Amino acid sequence: RISMDTLAFPPSVWKRCAGDIDFELFRKGPVHMGLDLSARNDLTAAVLCAEDDEGVVHVLPYVFCPTSGIEDRARRDRAPYDLWVRQKHMIPVGGQTMDFDQIAEAIGDELSEIGIQVTTVQYDKHMITHFQAACERAGVLQDAEWVGVPQFFKDMGARLSSLTGLMVDSKLKHGGHPVLTMAASVAVAKAGREGVSALAKNLSTQRIDPVVALTMAAWPFGDGREVIEEFDIAAWVG
């Protein structure tokens, strides 16, 4: 049998986009956030994108994990989470688990430290109402526009195509962030019935949350710039 899945991000293209990011762009804005929430004992990713004067999209990832049990998760996922926490590439929150209030407060702390005002939050609807309530309690992301992104092949496939187009044109800089790179190294483009491909993973222990968040965050600076999407209420009911 021939697999229809291929790596979503070819290593050579990913490495070519590993230039240093400009933090000042995130202070000036606009800034779009991609948000991929996870189970309480797993990774949550909030990835920010901002654009420079040459149309290059700069990427600033924040990846959160529970404080306790990092070494066990590192062995399970075969990734050096404990090292990345020490290097401040991952942000530990809470104890054995993270709740949405802890994550919201942590995101607020990170944004305040640099002075970032988020323009839109591009999100997966999974558990989002609970997280929005936590953000309201923490006073976080209250001025941002929240934009729901259906996680279907048509919607995410268009966003993945837009992101890969930016990368092929060298219009993306991700700074070589190790957690984001780990996710990119295992993310596959799974073919769908609509003739497009969306992100997937081959193993349950693989983590692609950061690149899912990136795919949503980069859309307003890519093909989504000129697209006025009609809100499909049927996709969000039930």
Side-chain angles (χ1 to χ4, degrees):
R1 298 181 64 181
I2 300 174
S3 173
M4 298 301 291
D5 302 339
T6 59
L7 280 176
F9 309 104
S12 59
V13 176
W14 184 263
K15 291 177 182 177
R16 193 168 69 237
C17 295
D20 294 336
I21 66 171
D22 183 354
F23 285 92
E24 189 59 33
L25 296 172
F26 296 91
R27 297 186 182 95
K28 294 191 300 184
V31 175
H32 299 285
M33 172 188 286
L35 181 65
D36 191 45
L37 299 170
S38 66
R40 292 186 174 186
N41 62 349
D42 233 321
L43 305 183
T44 282
V47 176
L48 308 183
C49 285
E51 188 179 49
D52 65 22
D53 292 338
E54 297 179 355
V56 177
V57 178
H58 295 234
V59 180
L60 179 58
Y62 293 109
V63 184
F64 303 92
C65 65
T67 299
S68 299
I70 290 176
E71 294 81 3
D72 292 338
R73 292 184 186 88
R75 286 190 292 269
R76 178 197 66 187
D77 296 352
R78 298 182 180 181
Y81 294 158
D82 48 344
L83 174 63
W84 289 339
V85 166
R86 292 196 299 271
Q87 295 175 338
K88 302 187 183 304
H89 296 305
M90 295 180 70
I91 302 168
V93 178
Q96 291 288 344
T97 63
M98 304 180 293
D99 64 30
F100 290 142
D101 287 288
Q102 294 169 343
I103 296 171
E105 290 174 5
I107 289 175
D109 290 343
E110 296 298 326
L111 297 179
S112 296
E113 183 176 345
I114 298 180
I116 298 175
Q117 185 73 35
V118 174
T119 307
T120 72
V121 179
Q122 312 278 323
Y123 65 89
D124 172 6
K125 72 169 185 176
H126 179 59
M127 300 185 292
I128 194 64
T129 55
H130 302 291
F131 183 72
Q132 286 176 319
C135 286
E136 185 173 354
R137 288 190 292 270
V140 174
L141 300 172
Q142 295 305 287
D143 294 328
E145 177 187 359
W146 291 71
V147 181
V149 181
Q151 303 294 294
F152 304 134
F153 275 98
K154 178 181 178 181
D155 303 276
M156 287 300 288
R159 285 161 175 77
L160 178 59
S161 176
S162 175
L163 174 59
T164 54
L166 289 171
M167 295 175 65
V168 168
D169 292 339
S170 297
K171 291 292 187 180
L172 189 93
K173 288 185 178 181
H174 55 69
H177 192 281
V179 189
L180 190 65
T181 298
M182 173 202 68
S185 72
V186 298
V188 296
K190 186 175 182 63
R193 289 176 298 178
E194 294 87 352
V196 296
S197 296
L199 289 173
K201 58 185 180 180
N202 287 324
L203 299 174
S204 61
T205 55
Q206 293 174 338
R207 305 292 166 223
I208 64 171
D209 313 80
V211 289
V212 172
L214 169 60
T215 302
M216 293 186 285
W219 172 249
F221 292 121
D223 294 343
R225 191 192 305 272
E226 302 299 331
V227 174
I228 300 176
E229 294 183 295
E230 295 182 3
F231 183 73
D232 182 6
I233 188 66
W236 294 89
V237 175

